[in-house]
Amino acid sequence: MKVSVRSKSDGRKEILDAAAVAFMEYGFAGTSIDMVAEVLGSTKGKIYYHFKSKTSLFLDVHRETMTTYIEAVEEVAKGPGTPLDKLSGILTTLATQVMERLPYAKVAVEGVDMHMSRSTTPEQRAVLREIIDLRDRGEAILVRIIEDGIEQGLLRPCNPRLIVKPMLGALNWMTVWYRPRPQDTPESRKALADTLVNYLLNGIVAPADGRASA
Amino acid sequence: MKVSVRSKSDGRKEILDAAAVAFMEYGFAGTSIDMVAEVLGSTKGKIYYHFKSKTSLFLDVHRETMTTYIEAVEEVAKGPGTPLDKLSGILTTLATQVMERLPYAKVAVEGVDMHMSRSTTPEQRAVLREIIDLRDRGEAILVRIIEDGIEQGLLRPCNPRLIVKPMLGALNWMTVWYRPRPQDTPESRKALADTLVNYLLNGIVAPADGRASA
DNA sequence: ATAGCATGATACCCAGGCGTAGGTTATAGA
DNA sequence: TCTATAACCTACGCCTGGGTATCATGCTAT
């Protein structure tokens, strides 16, 4: 058991953070390992000591993101409340995650498209499977909650699988236009998340009666 | 005035199509000019005869996409109907465009993030400005329509600028999950577009009364 | 038919980037 | 104090890929 001021996992975490920042800015193909090293304030050597290849590094960043997502989603899903409450909670959590961990979120967005095409080694394909499974698990949870909501008459009848796509898409699209500002606070982020989630749940068409949305 | 079986613009168009396909698959940085040439069934020479650089080619594909978008949007916007009709029409048109011209749509999505960071020459920056202006014009039209809708009591009061983002984001996200199938028809695409647009306008929460959505 | 131009192919140069081999420092244990 | 190993750095090999310079081919007009 090693007890040093800097454990191995610390080094890995730092590299993941730096990689996320670099990948966010220039994308996977457009980022060189040297650029990651520069963000890290280090050299390639350190990175290749901890990661086998550029692809592995990218996949690990992606997996890290998805793991964080699924944990947040499952926590809300297992909690109390109506399906509508849970749906709202999950979407709000995800929106907040995107804002607070923008580099990781962007990597996840780019990584989704990278499925296939690349990734040669069996080990990388295993990580890829893991990532895809995490994503599918998250989507399945949402679909299930929506089905419950429809059954209970809380939600409009629809094809949940088709609705989940634009729902998550709208949140993921935040990575394109949202830019953190110095004056941002947890409260202001919460407000933005609420605005978006409220729209995603209630739409924009005015109700026929005078009922106001929550 | 030259009249030959193959005009110069034909050559350009073919290259743009091939480039869109290649860029869609591997992204800007991940696509080599040789790959575009291979898709085209030609060699680099042809491409560099028509385009000054890889970046210019990419930007031209992007501009082509945005031009098509804005034309479609303006046509609907200038037509008859309530703001709600127009909004619905524009979103449906865009969704259809994405499905029918998926490679171009994907380039546009990636290109949005590429603003800044790259593009050295003044000429390229001019094209970039043009593209950004097209996008802003499109968004402004949508914002204006939403404002009108709110004023007329057709739409729920909200911040139009904040609502346009998830709206278009949900549509752009189609480039991630939508894959054309052989059995797809204009009708099936229309049905899918309608489903999405209906969700984006009406949300998913069931109305308090028994009113069914259109 | 032939000069001239539009169009396309081929060969090449060189910068940049992935991955590696081997060296260097520091910490832990004997 | 001495050695082994973990953690990191340096220098390099080699290939990919953007861009160019040059050559080949056909179409148009006189």
Side-chain angles (χ1 to χ4, degrees), chain A residues 94-108:
Chain A
L94 287 178
T96 307
Q97 284 275 336
V98 168
M99 288 185 272
E100 287 176 351
R101 292 166 50 92
L102 194 56
Y104 282 89
K106 270 201 112 106
V107 168

Side-chain angles (χ1 to χ4, degrees), chain A residues 136-153:
Chain A
D136 289 349
R137 223 166 87 200
E139 282 202 20
I141 290 175
L142 274 182
V143 166
R144 181 56 189 273
I145 291 177
I146 293 176
E147 285 171 349
D148 289 348
I150 295 172
E151 215 167 296
Q152 299 181 24

Side-chain angles (χ1 to χ4, degrees), chain B residues 30-43:
Chain B
T31 302
S32 71
I33 295 290
D34 289 298
M35 291 162 75
V36 175
E38 196 181 336
V39 172
L40 185 59
S42 176
T43 63

